[in-house]
Amino acid sequence: MPKILIVGGGYAGFYTAWKLENWLRRGEAEVTVVDPLPYMTYQPFLPEVASGSIEPRHAVVSLRRHLKSTKIIAGKVTKITHGEKSATITPNIGEAYELEYDMIVVTAGSVSRTFPIPGVADEAIGLKTIEEAVAIRDRILTNFDKASQLPEGAERDRLLTFVVVGGGFAGIEIFAEMRSFASDLLSKYPELAFEDTHFHLIEAMGRIMPEVSLKTAGWVIKNLAERGAEIHLDTQLKSAVGGVIELSTGESFESDTIVWTAGVMASPMLKNTDLPIEERGRLRVRPDLRVHDENNEIVIDAWGAGDVSAVPDLTGGGVGGFCVPNAQHAVRQGKLLAKNLVAELRGEEVHEYFHKNAGAVAGLGIGVGAFQSGKIGITGILAWFMHRGYHGLAMPSYERKFRVIWGWVLNFFLGRDIVSLEARVTPRAAFEEFASRPRPAAPAAAAPAEAPAGHPGPADAPVVVGGAVSKE
């Protein structure tokens, strides 16, 4: 059987494998997915996970549960030698080994793109993984607990000052959800007032959310300002050393929570391959998702999709002529890639990726949203329902859809879950504190030293009898 190796189990990789299971005939090909994580993360839900609106496990999709006939390898592909059709697999446990394949699908996704700004690497947190979203939620809750025990002053202000860097869709959504979450929490903390909380979003450009119109973006800025959240446009972060935020405008303040959402870049693993890469570090891909070289010649049996690939946008609406790195494209590219792989195996015609953006929708906290499609912009509660409706349906598998939607229904009646599990990072601390340990062994008795001449030795030592000292 031909062996298909899929590098990465994110959107594009998961959907490619999922659809291949439906469309391949029995024995037609053997499919393997390599990813260090056992799940695919539905990233549009990360802001709601961070704000307590979605249970973290409901925002991920188990690879082994939903990929029933695909071989799953828990590890990383650390090198690809396509000339020999061989990949180096570094498993989560054990030694690295070589895996041969017949066709390779590179869907390794992207990572947070940062700049060498002092303090960012040490103080900030990204928003690419479910673990990061949970950490943000727990940090907010823990900081509220700490601040409620402190008097007014610099330390309380630092705990209740939240900063987001980046005004794209991800940045605005997490910023708005955090503001909404904090506002709800205030009713549970009578020691704190609304004026004690401070929210700052830093955006280097002169506008936010380039996917929507200026009118819609302006409404979002105004709405957030009315909710007590400040957006700094045309402003750069100069330093975050020790949590001290220094802006290009000269402003400075302290924060204990800094969320970085200022862009993504293709997975660095591409540097360890012999596949062609373009100037931004992405895989060179034709519209039919086959890899091509600098001369636009097809690289046989190599395919790519998702954030890691520079997929041409045939609609003409992409940035620089390529599809923007988002879930909407990655999911659809994964589905087409599965169809094209099946067509390639059967000697049939492959198809080009063409998807005209139907619109963009953002959730901005409970009851607030923004939607843009062409010149049509919708804001407020209707757009919020559209956001939840779209993503509730887009979540893969009915099992996941039911869990997410049912959680929303419960939250409507019961409110958000506001329990912090920050102690999860040290789960053995409570056990270790009270655990009994063996007593240290008694030191071995030293051998008696030889007595010098003229001095009594052990045989002449005094004997204690009934508390009296006597000489035998």
Side-chain angles (χ1 to χ4, degrees):
M1 281 193 297
K3 297 179 180 179
I4 301 174
L5 175 61
I6 300 176
V7 182
Y11 289 118
F14 172 79
Y15 271 91
T16 299
W18 202 28
K19 296 305 178 182
L20 281 174
E21 289 196 347
N22 294 333
W23 298 330
L24 285 173
R25 304 185 185 111
R26 183 182 297 274
E28 193 170 11
E30 177 185 297
V31 182
T32 300
V33 172
V34 182
D35 196 289
L37 299 175
Y39 50 78
M40 181 210 84
T41 303
Y42 191 76
Q43 293 183 10
F45 282 157
L46 293 184
E48 289 198 61
V49 170
S51 64
S53 292
I54 291 180
E55 163 63 30
R57 285 184 176 85
H58 297 171
V60 298
V61 180
S62 170
L63 299 181
R64 293 186 181 274
R65 176 167 185 164
H66 296 284
L67 300 179
K68 296 180 172 58
S69 61
T70 300
K71 182 179 180 181
I72 309 294
I73 296 178
K76 296 180 180 179
V77 173
T78 51
K79 184 178 181 181
I80 298 173
T81 308
H82 190 63
E84 301 175 4
K85 291 194 173 179
S86 175
T88 302
I89 309 295
T90 302
N92 291 349
I93 186 170
E95 299 296 324
Y97 61 92
E98 299 299 313
L99 181 68
E100 295 183 352
Y101 60 83
D102 296 297
M103 305 172 74
I104 192 164
V105 176
V106 182
T107 53
S110 59
V111 298
S112 294
R113 180 193 63 182
T114 58
F115 306 103
I117 300 171
V120 167
D122 301 315
E123 304 291 340
I125 186 170
L127 191 68
K128 287 287 292 178
T129 68
I130 194 71
E131 293 82 4
E132 289 172 326
V134 173
I136 293 169
R137 180 200 66 185
D138 288 347
R139 175 67 64 84
I140 295 172
L141 290 167
T142 300
N143 282 9
F144 264 72
D145 284 334
K146 292 177 179 178
S148 66
Q149 306 303 312
L150 294 174
E152 292 185 15
E155 179 60 15
R156 191 167 83 170
D157 286 343
R158 185 182 69 86
L159 291 171
L160 296 180
T161 298
F162 305 93
V163 176
V164 174
V165 184
F169 248 69
I172 290 296
E173 285 193 302
I174 184 63
F175 186 59
E177 288 286 355
M178 288 167 63
R179 174 68 270 183
S180 176
F181 190 27
S183 296
D184 284 355
L185 285 176
L186 287 170
S187 63
K188 308 296 190 299
Y189 292 87
E191 305 90 345
L192 302 175
F194 181 85
E195 294 74 21
D196 295 326
T197 61
H198 312 282
F199 283 79
H200 300 270
L201 183 137
I202 304 164
E203 170 53 49
M205 305 297 289
R207 62 162 301 175
I208 62 170
M209 304 171 73
E211 298 89 344
V212 305
S213 68
L214 286 172
K215 180 180 179 181
T216 301
W219 182 91
V220 172
I221 293 174
K222 180 181 178 183
N223 175 267
L224 286 169
E226 292 172 350
R227 292 158 57 185
E230 184 177 359
I231 294 179
H232 304 260
L233 297 178
D234 293 314
T235 304
Q236 296 179 356
L237 176 65
K238 305 297 289 184
S239 176
V241 175
V244 179
I245 305 299
E246 296 181 10
L247 305 181
S248 58
T249 57
E251 295 175 79
S252 179
F253 49 85
E254 293 189 37
S255 173
D256 190 56
T257 307
I258 306 168
V259 182
W260 181 275
T261 65
V264 297
M265 65 180 184
S267 172
M269 65 81 54
L270 279 181
K271 298 176 182 177
N272 296 323
T273 76
D274 57 357
L275 296 170
I277 302 172
E278 47 94 73
E279 56 275 7
R280 293 186 61 185
R282 298 173 297 180
L283 193 65
R284 293 183 182 271
V285 173
R286 292 162 59 97
D288 57 15
L289 305 180
R290 287 183 287 191
V291 177
H292 71 89
D293 61 19
E294 293 81 356
N295 300 317
N296 204 31
E297 295 293 329
I298 295 173
V299 177
I300 303 299
D301 295 329
W303 305 73
D307 293 1
V308 78
S309 300
V311 180
D313 190 340
L314 300 182
T315 69
V319 178
F322 297 101
C323 296
V324 296
N326 63 23
Q328 189 177 150
H329 283 303
V331 168
R332 288 171 171 81
Q333 289 168 13
K335 294 177 180 179
L336 176 66
L337 183 46
K339 288 183 179 179
N340 282 350
L341 286 168
V342 173
E344 181 79 1
L345 289 169
R346 298 173 184 172
E348 299 171 356
E349 181 183 0
V350 299
H351 298 279
E352 296 183 336
Y353 178 72
F354 182 95
H355 173 66
K356 190 170 184 178
N357 192 357
V361 61
L364 306 174
I366 301 296
V368 186
F371 169 80
Q372 188 75 46
S373 179
K375 296 182 179 180
I376 301 174
I378 301 174
T379 55
I381 192 168
L382 177 58
W384 178 73
F385 277 116
M386 295 170 70
H387 169 265
R388 285 205 161 178
Y390 172 77
H391 287 296
L393 294 174
M395 185 71 176
S397 87
Y398 287 105
E399 175 253 341
R400 292 285 103 175
K401 296 180 200 292
F402 180 79
R403 291 181 188 274
V404 169
I405 295 173
W406 182 242
W408 283 336
V409 172
L410 290 178
N411 284 355
F412 179 80
F413 293 102
L414 305 177
R416 314 184 209 221
D417 193 328
I418 62 169
V419 175
S420 169
L421 297 177
E422 194 169 47
R424 77 195 184 286
V425 298
T426 54
R428 297 187 65 252
F431 178 81
E432 288 179 322
E433 182 179 357
F434 302 104
S436 297
R437 290 179 169 83
R439 293 182 179 179
E450 185 176 346
H455 291 273
D460 301 321
V463 178
V464 179
V465 180
V469 179
S470 65
K471 294 283 288 184
E472 289 183 352

